[in-house]
Amino acid sequence: MTHYPLRSRIRHDVMPLLDSCTETDAATLLAGNAASAREDIECLDTQAQTIASAIITADGDPLHHASSDPDDALSTSAVVTSFDADRLKHYPAALRKRVIMIALNRIDIPFSHRHVIAIDDLVMRWHGQGAVNLPLQYSANRKNNVIHVCKDGGHANR
């Protein structure tokens, strides 16, 4: 067995094996699938931005766009971000989770997939459970049909 870098082993050993198994050019198939996945991601991201513009609020004002301008008062400097769980629950999981990620990104806190799933549970399977603890002393709480994401102790619903 030849010992060379993984990328080289894939190119020289794995790809020819895939070509032989599929009786076609596996690299072309993989590239086509990657392009299709990119198109799907772009479509979902665009739809999620539209939904987020309609249902996410910061400090009580609708966020009609995602701004990267540090002078924009509604960009990531907002302490409280809220969104309508009843409206969000009608969308497929891929869109719901993207909207939740948009909300968390707008207040500039780090998060993991685990946090997004826990907040999605507040949307889809709410039965009065407590807050979702997030990094940097933030948490997500649901009161009635609204989920508030803010610094711990800063929730109006506590």
Side-chain angles (χ1 to χ4, degrees):
M1 179 171 164
T2 307
H3 296 286
Y4 41 90
L6 178 60
R7 182 173 177 213
S8 295
R9 284 187 303 205
I10 290 170
R11 185 174 57 247
H12 293 290
D13 298 338
V14 175
M15 293 307 292
L17 181 61
L18 285 174
D19 289 347
S20 138
C21 290
T22 61
E23 296 180 358
T24 186
D25 181 10
T28 301
L29 290 175
L30 291 172
N33 287 339
S36 180
R38 236 183 343 269
E39 291 168 354
D40 292 349
I41 288 168
E42 289 171 5
C43 178
L44 288 168
D45 287 346
T46 299
Q47 288 179 348
Q49 284 291 346
T50 301
I51 296 164
S53 294
I55 69 171
I56 296 174
T57 60
D59 294 332
D61 297 319
L63 288 174
H64 296 294
H65 64 285
S67 174
S68 59
D69 180 0
D71 296 327
D72 186 341
L74 293 177
S75 66
T76 59
S77 64
V79 175
V80 178
T81 292
S82 304
F83 54 92
D84 185 330
D86 270 357
R87 288 175 66 189
L88 187 58
K89 74 180 180 185
H90 297 288
Y91 292 99
L95 289 171
R96 287 194 318 270
K97 291 173 187 174
R98 279 174 167 74
V99 170
I100 292 167
M101 289 187 285
I102 290 168
L104 295 174
N105 279 325
R106 285 186 178 171
I107 56 175
D108 200 26
I109 60 172
F111 60 90
S112 69
H113 181 70
R114 171 179 62 87
H115 298 118
V116 173
I117 296 299
I119 295 172
D120 190 51
D121 282 344
L122 289 179
V123 173
M124 297 303 294
R125 288 172 280 291
W126 187 55
H127 50 81
Q129 68 265 40
V132 172
N133 293 319
L134 300 167
L136 303 178
Q137 299 179 339
Y138 276 82
S139 61
N141 281 295
R142 179 169 174 166
K143 182 176 182 183
N144 299 321
N145 299 325
V146 179
I147 295 177
H148 302 279
V149 181
C150 63
K151 283 274 193 188
D152 289 340
H155 291 286
N157 59 339
R158 286 196 174 187

